[in-house]
Amino acid sequence: MIIEVDRSVYSDACITKCVYALSNDLDCRRTLCGERERIEVSPRVVDLSPAEVQHLFLCTLNDYKAREVIATETHDIRTILYAKAFADCDEFEEMAP
Amino acid sequence: MRNYYLLPFDFTRVAHHEVLVNEYGDMLVLPQGSVERIVDHRLEYDDVYKDLVANFFISESRVPANLGIYASRLREKKRFLDDFTALHIFVVTLQCNQNCIYCQASSRSEQSAQCTMTFDTMEHAVRLMFRSPAPVLTMEFQGGEPSLHPALIRFGIETAERINETERRELRFVLCTNCVHLTDEMLDICRQHRVMISTSLDGPAFLHNANRGKVDSYERVVAGIERARRVLGADMVAALQTTSVQALDYPAAIVDEYVRLGFRSLFLRALNPYGLASNGQDWAHYTERFIEFYKAAFEHILYLNRQGTPFVEEFAAIVLRKMLTPFSTGFVDLQSPAGIVTSVLVYNYDGYVYASDESRMLAEVGDFTFRLGSVHDRYEDIVYSPKVQHLAQLWANEALAGCSDCALRNFCGADPVRNYSTQRDPYGHRPSSLLCRKNKAIIEYLISLLVERREEVLPIFKRWLQ
């Protein structure tokens, strides 16, 4: 079956992660057509109906979209957090003016 | 609606709920649809909102005021890295007096030559161990059956104690033995140097004997355990179980056998795909059956606890410690960065140093990928070698495809050696990894218990963690 995805909504990385996560269950062939991506999806082993395949793919894709939003919005605070947790803390104390 | 900022977290779905896990492993269970509302900034000021703020999932300021606490908790979760390699495994010999059907160590008969460590190798290995900066050093003697060579073990311990007169570390000793050949001499060494015994018992007699390829193994092991307890004290003897294919049908009987023999805990351990155990198995089928076996045994353990028999499942206790406490664990199989090198080094009988116990098991089938050097090499040339540097790029699940987006990564670990041995690629492919499948299933099962049967299981789990 073919699933069409709007690339202005779902990034390449987001689709790639979705395809990777499902790669034990689904074979996916991706084709970029302008702003839309056509993904030819077929079950590898498990017996899934086309409706189930579509549901599985889109739910997984939406989860990765949510993760992408979280990762983008928290990128800077995550960097600060790791620096504060694992760098030599003294070097990260604010300097007196 | 309130104006708020997201903090780093991931999520999964368990038992018809959304389970949110933040960067240092704190978990929050919310109704379906919560993640979408959080991410879309559509939260109302209610109890969920307050929980999310209090538990570092969202913040009311761009940089949370208590970021320092958040950072300290993250650092605590990786505390095991501070000391570097603490566990040092000495493979004394491959000679063994049993014939286990699932042997992962490619053991050989008692008469086999050229598979026992020399005294010179032992001395060099001990000296190398002291190059690790860890304040606590554990020497674990493995085999084959190491108790076949008490003089070598005594030499290793006494060499370590002599060096330690100036090093002043805390030394711990563990003897991994089948307890079949615990002589007076061996027990005297254990008593004198406070060596803990880690033995192996697979369950009731019929099961244990079938696994060992001997008719009297169970009888001799149980006698050895009782003898060791008399000489060393009950707390100095622990046992591990390995789940052979036959054992999969007897979850409750195995637990009951451990209780009957006076053990207070059990580590439900799956077969590893190394050595003899790798031959002729349908690992996918085995993994699915093991997951069901684990759940059945675990339910029986919960039942015993409810009936007033305190009994711990050790694998769950490790995961629960990661889930329910701010602390890390020393369990090398569930760490990120992985336990190889950072937490464990193996000195093999042949004088070579390996990244882990599983690495030397691969070597026995002719694969030396994880051989890091020799006991005669400089410590720096081993632990900072190009091979280890390459492994370091693959040993953090925060940076691995399939793990980095997994909400359960805080409770799990990375394992390049297992990836390599099962998938021929140390990076690994998570969607088809059976280790990932097994760990995820067990961790999700434990979370489902906390979601659906919290009042029943939480008091039991808290007792396990005391």
Side-chain angles (χ1 to χ4, degrees):
Chain A
M1 70 173 302
I2 306 287
I3 296 174
E4 280 207 3
V5 173
D6 186 343
R7 282 290 292 269
S8 66
V9 177
Y10 299 100
S11 71
D12 179 38
C14 182
I15 300 168
T16 301
K17 286 182 177 184
C18 172
V19 167
Y20 177 85
L22 297 173
S23 60
N24 201 42
D25 299 324
L26 305 177
D27 281 329
C28 298
R29 185 188 298 270
R30 301 172 60 185
T31 312
L32 190 59
C33 313
E35 275 299 291
R36 300 193 75 78
E37 182 160 335
R38 286 165 54 87
I39 306 159
E40 192 181 335
V41 184
S42 52
R44 291 192 67 211
V45 187
V46 281
D47 194 17
L48 293 173
S49 69
E52 286 169 328
V53 169
Q54 177 162 318
H55 181 72
L56 175 65
F57 191 92
L58 293 178
C59 284
T60 308
L61 187 63
N62 283 328
D63 280 354
Y64 279 102
K65 174 71 183 173
R67 292 189 179 101
E68 188 175 60
V69 171
I70 297 166
T72 305
E73 200 173 317
T74 63
H75 177 269
D76 292 345
I77 194 71
R78 194 166 187 261
T79 303
I80 295 168
L81 174 68
Y82 272 79
K84 209 167 171 57
F86 298 111
D88 185 346
C89 294
D90 292 344
E91 293 176 16
F92 284 84
E93 292 302 318
E94 282 184 25
M95 300 290 285
Chain B
M1 279 182 290
R2 302 274 286 210
N3 189 26
Y4 60 87
Y5 299 88
L6 301 183
L7 293 174
F9 72 89
D10 212 311
F11 61 92
T12 186
R13 291 182 183 80
V14 178
H16 309 294
H17 286 75
E18 285 177 349
V19 177
L20 284 66
V21 184
N22 67 15
E23 204 67 16
Y24 56 76
D26 268 8
M27 204 166 67
L28 205 57
V29 179
L30 296 175
Q32 296 270 28
S34 300
V35 170
E36 192 182 332
R37 283 198 305 131
I38 296 166
V39 171
D40 289 349
H41 291 261
R42 287 191 284 114
L43 287 178
E44 299 293 340
Y45 187 68
D46 55 12
D47 287 347
V48 170
Y49 179 94
K50 290 174 196 168
D51 275 350
L52 289 163
V53 172
N55 291 287
F56 295 106
F57 288 88
I58 61 173
S59 167
E60 294 185 308
S61 56
R62 187 174 292 279
V63 179
N66 39 13
L67 188 68
I69 297 171
Y70 193 2
S72 300
R73 296 218 31 206
L74 181 58
R75 187 180 176 88
E76 185 58 41
K77 285 286 183 182
K78 302 291 183 185
R79 179 72 62 196
F80 64 92
L81 287 172
D82 287 357
D83 296 335
F84 212 56
T85 322
L87 175 60
H88 299 262
I89 294 174
F90 295 74
V91 183
V92 173
T93 182
L94 287 189
Q95 291 174 346
C96 191
N97 48 13
Q98 298 287 278
N99 190 25
C100 304
I101 55 168
Y102 57 68
C103 183
Q104 299 159 13
S106 300
S107 296
R108 301 176 194 170
S109 76
E110 284 181 76
Q111 290 73 38
S112 294
Q114 294 181 323
C115 60
T116 299
M117 190 180 268
T118 65
F119 282 75
D120 179 66
T121 295
M122 176 64 84
E123 180 165 359
H124 278 87
V126 172
R127 290 191 183 285
L128 207 49
M129 173 182 77
F130 275 98
R131 295 302 314 281
S132 164
V136 179
L137 295 171
T138 299
M139 286 179 81
E140 183 172 296
F141 299 101
Q142 282 199 18
E145 175 49 43
S147 71
L148 295 173
H149 295 278
L152 185 57
I153 292 172
R154 184 190 290 278
F155 175 76
I157 292 173
E158 289 179 352
T159 303
E161 288 182 337
R162 197 175 59 251
I163 296 171
N164 203 40
E165 286 171 11
T166 50
E167 288 282 344
R168 299 283 176 198
R169 316 283 185 95
E170 183 181 333
L171 290 182
R172 293 177 187 169
F173 305 107
V174 178
L175 175 66
C176 296
T177 171
N178 56 35
C179 278
V180 166
H181 190 69
L182 280 181
T183 60
D184 289 343
E185 182 186 7
M186 195 63 248
L187 281 172
D188 186 53
I189 294 168
C190 293
R191 187 184 49 76
Q192 208 179 330
H193 300 280
R194 290 199 55 75
V195 179
M196 187 167 174
I197 287 189
S198 174
T199 193
S200 179
L201 181 76
D202 292 339
F206 77 94
L207 197 55
H208 184 91
N209 287 338
N211 286 350
R212 303 305 161 117
K214 303 271 181 185
V215 289
D216 62 346
S217 180
Y218 172 86
E219 202 176 284
R220 295 177 69 184
V221 169
V222 170
I225 289 170
E226 285 170 3
R227 197 150 165 259
R229 282 174 169 166
R230 275 198 307 275
V231 176
L232 307 173
D235 288 347
M236 294 296 282
V237 183
L240 271 175
Q241 170 266 359
T242 304
T243 312
S244 63
V245 173
Q246 191 183 352
L248 292 167
D249 292 326
Y250 302 98
I254 291 168
V255 173
D256 287 341
E257 186 65 21
Y258 267 69
V259 174
R260 196 180 69 77
L261 290 173
F263 287 105
R264 285 180 291 196
S265 69
L266 166 62
F267 193 122
L268 292 167
R269 192 169 62 151
L271 284 175
N272 284 334
Y274 302 100
L276 294 177
S278 65
N279 296 336
Q281 290 283 356
D282 178 349
W283 287 103
H285 184 59
Y286 173 83
T287 302
E288 294 308 318
R289 289 194 65 201
F290 177 80
I291 292 165
E292 293 313 309
F293 162 87
Y294 182 92
K295 290 178 183 174
F298 198 83
E299 287 295 338
H300 190 57
I301 289 171
L302 289 177
Y303 167 78
L304 291 173
N305 278 275
R306 285 197 306 271
Q307 300 302 309
T309 304
F311 194 80
V312 179
E313 200 290 301
E314 295 284 2
F315 184 82
I318 291 162
V319 173
L320 291 167
R321 186 169 298 281
K322 287 165 170 259
M323 251 179 222
L324 302 176
T325 81
F327 308 113
S328 63
T329 73
F331 183 61
V332 299
D333 290 355
L334 286 181
Q335 284 182 355
S336 175
I340 54 171
V341 186
T342 63
S343 295
V344 60
L345 278 174
V346 176
Y347 311 96
N348 207 17
Y349 68 93
D350 56 7
Y352 288 103
V353 181
Y354 289 89
S356 66
D357 204 21
E358 292 74 18
S359 307
R360 64 103 177 180
M361 292 170 184
L362 280 174
E364 290 307 323
V365 292
D367 189 328
F368 304 102
T369 304
F370 300 100
R371 177 187 277 181
L372 305 179
S374 148
V375 295
H376 299 280
D377 291 342
R378 288 171 65 240
Y379 174 79
E380 291 78 5
D381 292 341
I382 293 171
V383 301
Y384 303 132
S385 64
K387 212 175 237 186
V388 175
Q389 288 177 36
H390 175 63
L391 283 173
Q393 295 171 32
L394 313 170
W395 71 20
N397 61 14
E398 289 86 348
L400 292 176
C403 291
S404 62
D405 288 313
C406 177
L408 309 180
R409 69 170 186 273
N410 270 292
F411 316 129
C412 196
D415 195 340
V417 180
R418 175 67 75 93
N419 293 340
Y420 175 82
S421 71
T422 56
Q423 302 185 313
R424 309 314 293 171
D425 172 12
Y427 188 91
H429 178 251
R430 250 57 60 195
S432 58
S433 162
L434 295 175
L435 180 66
C436 176
R437 164 82 188 115
K438 184 200 78 170
N439 285 352
K440 254 184 161 171
I442 292 175
I443 294 168
E444 285 177 352
Y445 166 67
L446 294 172
I447 293 173
S448 76
L449 291 176
L450 286 165
V451 172
E452 294 176 321
R453 292 158 57 186
R454 191 173 185 84
E455 285 183 15
E456 173 201 338
V457 300
L458 194 58
I460 296 171
F461 292 168
K462 282 185 172 171
R463 278 200 300 275
W464 291 5
L465 301 178
Q466 279 168 2

